[in-house]
Amino acid sequence: AQKVTQAQTEISVVEKEDVTLDCVYETRDTTYYLFWYKQPPSGELVFLIRRNSFDEQNEISGRYSWNFQKSTSSFNFTITASQVVDSAVYFCALRPWNSGNTPLVFGKGTRLSVIA
Amino acid sequence: DVKVTQSSRYLVKRTGEKVFLECVQDMDHENMFWYRQDPGLGLRLIYFSYDVKMKEKGDIPEGYSVSREKKERFSLILESASTNQTSMYLCASSPLENRDPQDTQYFGPGTRLTVL
């Protein structure tokens, strides 16, 4: 069985603070993909990143960075110098590799509020 | 740009009505998905389809059916709407694995359905 846990239901930070969103997953597959999505107030989920399980390099994209640790089954997401526009619900997701028809398994999401 | 559109952003129906939610994608994707999103429960998969006229049950198919007569269109049907089907409904599509560098699901803007 596969499962994604986002233990933080809601986080509130003041603008310019750094914030880390946690994601822990469970899977019996040896290869898999991990994803992060952002859902702003408009409602549409926006893809942020996909990571392969055999590539444990951390990734940085502007103010966003992702820390993938296979040993602890975690794929955490950090926003540096947060801005009000970062306010959204963030979802972590998992899918087995090489199984193109398998749906994503989503966590329950973390609602981030950035206060000016 | 990938485009997934849903027929309505907001919909109000009465208990017992038959409800059709339509989803169209313009990227020739093989896979299409219907989710519902409720506070505290995250995204839950209702049905998905990996080909025309094919469908697979997701985690919560009860009370729903789907139709995929054309590759670009995936319809969710509530045969007899009930108040506990009041929710946000999200449609998504994805290509078969390895046909897309990002290989992820692309989401529509969502339909907020209220059943009175």
Side-chain angles (χ1 to χ4, degrees):
Chain A
Q2 304 190 17
K3 186 179 178 182
V4 175
T5 301
Q6 295 179 253
Q8 304 148 309
T9 307
E10 293 190 36
I11 300 176
S12 190
V13 299
V14 177
E15 204 171 20
K16 297 184 183 175
E17 284 185 358
D18 299 347
V19 58
T20 295
L21 310 182
D22 297 333
C23 173
V24 174
Y25 61 92
E26 296 173 30
T27 180
R28 291 180 184 163
D29 296 293
T30 53
T31 52
Y32 45 88
Y33 290 130
L34 294 163
F35 302 79
W36 275 96
Y37 283 84
K38 174 182 180 180
Q39 186 181 37
S42 60
E44 183 171 338
L45 269 78
V46 176
F47 166 76
L48 294 178
I49 189 172
R50 181 192 78 171
R51 220 58 192 133
N52 303 325
S53 59
F54 43 86
D55 180 4
E56 289 195 63
Q57 258 192 328
N58 291 329
E59 183 151 342
I60 298 174
S61 175
R63 295 183 299 106
Y64 295 172
S65 62
W66 290 269
N67 183 341
F68 176 34
Q69 293 202 343
K70 210 168 179 178
S71 59
T72 56
S73 298
S74 66
F75 185 43
N76 296 337
F77 173 30
T78 297
I79 302 174
T80 303
S82 60
Q83 301 176 0
V84 172
V85 294
D86 296 326
S87 296
V89 181
Y90 291 87
F91 290 94
C92 181
L94 165 72
R95 181 167 75 72
W97 183 67
N98 202 26
S99 61
N101 297 332
T102 306
L104 299 177
V105 175
F106 284 89
K108 293 184 177 178
T110 297
R111 180 177 297 278
L112 173 64
S113 298
V114 180
I115 304 163
Chain B
D1 265 1
V2 176
K3 195 74 174 177
V4 179
T5 57
Q6 295 183 228
S7 49
S8 307
R9 289 302 302 270
Y10 300 93
L11 208 53
V12 180
K13 295 292 182 180
R14 297 210 172 272
T15 302
E17 280 193 73
K18 190 169 186 176
V19 181
F20 292 87
L21 302 183
E22 305 286 344
C23 176
V24 177
Q25 50 94 4
D26 65 0
M27 284 302 291
D28 199 35
H29 285 171
E30 287 77 12
N31 303 326
M32 295 189 76
F33 308 84
W34 274 107
Y35 296 88
R36 65 177 280 176
Q37 182 180 8
D38 301 287
L41 298 177
L43 275 72
R44 293 182 292 168
L45 180 67
I46 305 172
Y47 268 98
F48 67 103
S49 167
Y50 52 86
D51 201 353
V52 175
K53 297 193 185 294
M54 304 299 288
K55 61 184 179 184
E56 295 280 345
K57 291 181 180 179
D59 300 319
I60 52 164
E62 297 78 20
Y64 304 94
S65 62
V66 290
S67 171
R68 192 159 181 209
E69 297 296 319
K70 293 184 178 181
K71 191 175 185 180
E72 67 271 17
R73 188 180 296 270
F74 192 36
S75 303
L76 180 70
I77 303 155
L78 287 66
E79 294 289 343
S80 178
S82 62
T83 54
N84 62 13
Q85 293 178 310
T86 292
S87 185
M88 168 73 94
Y89 289 87
L90 292 162
C91 175
S93 73
S94 70
L96 282 178
E97 183 165 350
N98 298 327
R99 223 173 38 80
D100 181 311
Q102 294 296 348
D103 182 27
T104 186
Q105 290 183 18
Y106 299 88
F107 283 82
T111 295
R112 189 167 292 281
L113 172 68
T114 301
V115 182
L116 301 175

